[in-house]
Amino acid sequence: MSLDKDVRSAAEMVLSCKSATVISHIDADGISSESILSQAISRAGIPVRSIYIRQLDPLTLHEIPDDDSLKIFSDFGSGQQTMLQEKGIRSKDVVIIDHHVSQPADAGYLEVNCLLHGFEKMSAAGVAYLVAREMDEINRDLAKLAVIGNIGDMMDRENLKLSGPAHEILSDGVGYGNVEVWEHDLNIYGISTRPLPNALAYSDDIDIPGVSHDPDGARRFLERIGIRPVSANRWPVWESLTIEEKQIIVCSIIDQMMACEKNLDRLFADHYLFPDESKIQATLRNASEYATLLNSCGRWKRPELGGAICRGDRVTAYREAEQMLKNHRTKIREVMEYITDTGVSELSHLLYIHVGDRFPDTIVGIGAGMSLSRLNPEKPILIMCEDSLDPSKTKISMRTKPEVVDKGVDLQKALCIACERFDGSSGGGHRIAAGAFIPREAEREFIEDVNRIIKQQYAQKSSDSC
Ligand code: C5P
Ligand code: C5P
């Protein structure tokens, strides 16, 4: 079966249903997937309602409605098919739109999953868009939301650009006119909203001597090369600079990095901009910042706000979402500071830390991922916290770097194997980022198991390459 064939089957199934329920994940990819699917379905004249779930697991299974609607699972479902089967959900009532590792069940659910066809660098929103476009060509305007989902799930991070089917979807957005690509641009975050010194100082991917992690140093650097605030203390954003100004900055960064023999490999990346968004709602002007805004809604229990923004609400929902974003940024910073101040414990093949009930389980993984570059990036980080729905459980999040995945590490597999030993645990995700819920009393044994499994993964890779 090809991805196209699965996409066609899903589109047919959706178009022939009487009503649909979209059950989607709470992060940027889940929210953009939901918005693509529910807009395409309602444009087809089919009644649709949406439910967001933090993760499809035994504690949230009751949220799936017990009715005759077609259940469309997006950004999860592939790894939870046995659970759906055990709940008695029939295959004629299910479509799964996903990009996580699949664990099929006998029920034979229709699963549209790019990973099953070898496309690793596409998110659920990309798959959702392919189905929406197959349903009707008028849905091409929704390619923009698929770009946001792909960027939210970091599908561009390894190559610093979207590739494969995610790149084709990008071309649909460019063709439609609501997406613009700035190729091979400076690899910084916050090009539409962050004052330039902050954007340069706090972009994790590049290490500029005297500038990185030092906003005062960044200000001095800019002033020295003739780039100044637009008015007292108000610095321009990257998006608003002229080509000449950008050239001056990039050349000076290269000089500074080369003088200190820094690696320039990750200096440039593609940016995806949305010319249809107003500069007043600047957070929505590019895919990375738009995705962070959606994440801040979803991960703080207001995914429907993100959904409203994806559907075009630029007043009420946007205003509320801006407050969510402010809070999200503060809390992520607090997670990172907590990790740095407390310090992580180290086993032979991983770093770990327990944050108790200080932070919600929906954000600790993001904080841990962002802390990695300040820790020992050679080892994956495992962060534990109390499960917000069931304090007898511990939520695990793991993150690592592409270089570590290249050496054979697969966090999804490691967590799933470790979960097999403990009743009531479930895990999943990707090679580079994965999560699990485990019984609280199993924490110590679980970490040691994961450490041992990762050690085996390294050994396996090196014996394979001998
Ligand atoms: O459930 P899901 O796959 O959507 O979660 C993806 C999460 O994994 C992202 O929010 C991000 O924190 C993390 N991730 C990552 N690096 C990648 C891909 C995903 O840290 N390359
Ligand atoms: O929650 P967190 O951001 O750490 O999740 C990382 C990845 O692991 C996501 O793709 C998420 O969908 C997946 N995950 C999972 N099962 C869990 C927890 C997380 O598949 N129990």
Side-chain angles (χ1 to χ4, degrees):
M1 280 274 251
S2 67
L3 179 60
D4 287 349
K5 194 148 184 264
D6 291 345
V7 164
R8 276 198 296 279
S9 305
E12 277 163 24
M13 207 160 155
V14 175
L15 286 171
S16 58
C17 78
K18 292 208 164 54
S19 66
T21 308
V22 177
I23 302 148
S24 202
H25 191 209
I26 49 147
D27 72 357
D29 188 32
I31 294 171
S32 44
S33 308
E34 180 282 327
S35 181
I36 292 169
L37 291 165
S38 63
Q39 289 189 81
I41 295 168
S42 57
R43 285 173 185 178
I46 300 166
V48 55
R49 75 166 173 131
S50 296
I51 296 172
Y52 299 96
I53 297 184
R54 70 156 192 183
Q55 191 62 51
L56 211 48
D57 62 44
L59 290 174
T60 54
L61 213 52
H62 67 276
E63 295 186 42
I64 304 169
D66 192 8
D67 60 18
D68 289 337
S69 65
L70 179 69
K71 318 289 178 296
I72 307 171
F73 294 91
S74 72
D75 198 24
F76 44 39
S78 281
Q80 294 84 18
Q81 295 180 63
T82 308
M83 217 188 300
L84 299 180
Q85 180 174 283
E86 283 167 6
K87 189 178 156 73
I89 303 179
R90 297 163 305 179
S91 65
K92 73 175 190 52
D93 293 333
V94 170
V95 174
I96 295 170
I97 308 275
D98 205 351
H99 70 130
H100 291 93
V101 174
S102 172
Q103 290 165 309
D106 298 334
Y109 297 123
L110 173 60
E111 196 185 350
V112 196
N113 184 328
C114 47
L115 206 54
L116 288 172
H117 305 280
F119 301 117
E120 256 193 64
K121 294 194 171 60
M122 186 157 83
S123 73
V127 182
Y129 171 75
L130 296 179
V131 174
R133 190 183 63 186
E134 183 66 29
M135 287 169 64
D136 196 323
E137 284 287 323
I138 60 159
N139 294 322
R140 278 180 183 262
D141 60 321
L142 304 177
K144 170 181 165 185
L145 294 176
V147 173
I148 296 165
N150 275 312
I151 295 300
D153 257 13
M154 305 190 184
M155 294 298 140
D156 63 329
R157 284 294 87 193
E158 213 173 311
N159 301 331
L160 300 174
K161 60 195 319 203
L162 292 174
S163 53
H167 191 269
E168 286 163 30
I169 293 172
L170 174 68
S171 306
D172 277 5
V174 173
Y176 183 83
N178 55 2
V179 181
E180 208 175 89
V181 184
W182 287 5
E183 283 178 356
H184 211 63
D185 204 314
L186 189 62
N187 180 13
I188 54 174
Y189 174 84
I191 58 166
S192 304
T193 68
R194 271 188 175 174
L196 206 42
N198 296 40
L200 293 181
Y202 297 119
S203 289
D204 267 356
D205 249 354
I206 43 179
D207 183 9
I208 315 167
V211 172
S212 294
H213 308 294
D214 181 0
D216 287 333
R219 253 172 246 127
R220 286 193 298 273
F221 164 78
L222 288 166
E223 280 170 348
R224 184 162 50 76
I225 59 175
I227 309 286
R228 304 197 185 283
V230 277
S231 58
N233 269 334
R234 200 169 71 80
W235 284 87
V237 295
W238 183 256
E239 194 200 336
S240 69
L241 297 182
T242 62
I243 301 273
E244 292 72 27
E245 287 169 324
K246 285 183 182 179
Q247 272 167 352
I248 293 170
I249 295 173
V250 169
C251 291
S252 310
I253 288 177
I254 292 176
D255 286 348
Q256 194 128 333
M257 287 176 79
M258 284 180 65
C260 299
E261 295 182 10
K262 296 282 178 191
N263 189 336
L264 300 180
D265 285 355
R266 295 187 66 81
L267 189 57
F268 298 107
D270 286 1
H271 289 301
Y272 307 109
L273 285 98
F274 303 136
D276 59 333
E277 299 291 350
S278 146
K279 290 201 171 149
I280 298 167
Q281 286 101 23
T283 311
L284 306 180
R285 290 275 303 168
N286 69 80
S288 309
E289 294 191 76
Y290 198 134
T292 310
L293 186 79
L294 297 186
N295 262 324
S296 64
C297 297
R299 298 209 180 244
W300 292 92
K301 300 193 178 154
R302 297 294 308 278
E304 77 291 348
L305 267 188
I309 289 168
C310 291
R311 285 176 186 77
D313 183 335
R314 296 287 174 269
V315 185
T316 327
Y318 182 78
R319 250 184 245 139
E320 260 192 88
E322 269 194 316
Q323 291 308 314
M324 310 286 300
L325 179 60
K326 220 164 147 193
N327 171 59
H328 181 65
R329 288 215 170 109
T330 309
K331 294 293 177 192
I332 298 286
R333 205 174 315 124
E334 282 174 25
V335 176
M336 291 168 65
E337 276 164 13
Y338 184 82
I339 294 174
T340 330
D341 294 350
T342 315
V344 288
S345 305
E346 199 156 346
L347 293 182
S348 61
H349 289 79
L350 59 80
L351 310 172
Y352 68 93
I353 186 167
H354 203 314
V355 298
D357 61 358
R358 284 175 190 81
F359 307 105
D361 53 29
T362 46
I363 64 153
V364 290
I366 300 176
M370 291 173 72
S371 303
L372 256 187
S373 54
R374 301 178 185 189
L375 303 167
N376 174 0
E378 298 277 305
K379 291 187 184 181
I381 183 167
L382 183 154
I383 188 164
M384 286 171 278
C385 69
E386 195 173 277
D387 179 347
S388 56
L389 293 183
D390 178 358
S392 75
K393 291 258 167 73
T394 296
K395 161 80 192 294
I396 306 269
S397 280
M398 287 197 78
R399 296 290 189 274
T400 193
K401 295 266 178 193
E403 306 82 82
V404 176
V405 170
D406 287 344
K407 289 181 185 151
V409 170
D410 182 335
L411 300 180
Q412 185 272 341
K413 263 197 192 138
L415 289 187
C416 286
I417 296 170
C419 279
E420 282 168 12
R421 224 166 43 98
F422 304 100
D423 278 349
S425 52
S426 62
H430 312 277
R431 289 191 290 179
I432 200 159
F437 296 101
I438 63 164
R440 192 172 174 170
E441 63 278 7
E443 283 170 6
R444 185 71 220 173
E445 276 179 274
F446 189 86
I447 305 172
E448 280 166 9
D449 273 6
V450 176
N451 186 56
R452 191 177 33 76
I453 297 163
I454 292 176
K455 183 176 175 188
Q456 286 164 356
Q457 291 178 340
Y458 271 111
Q460 181 67 40
K461 173 86 176 183
S462 48
S463 77
D464 287 352
S465 48
C466 280

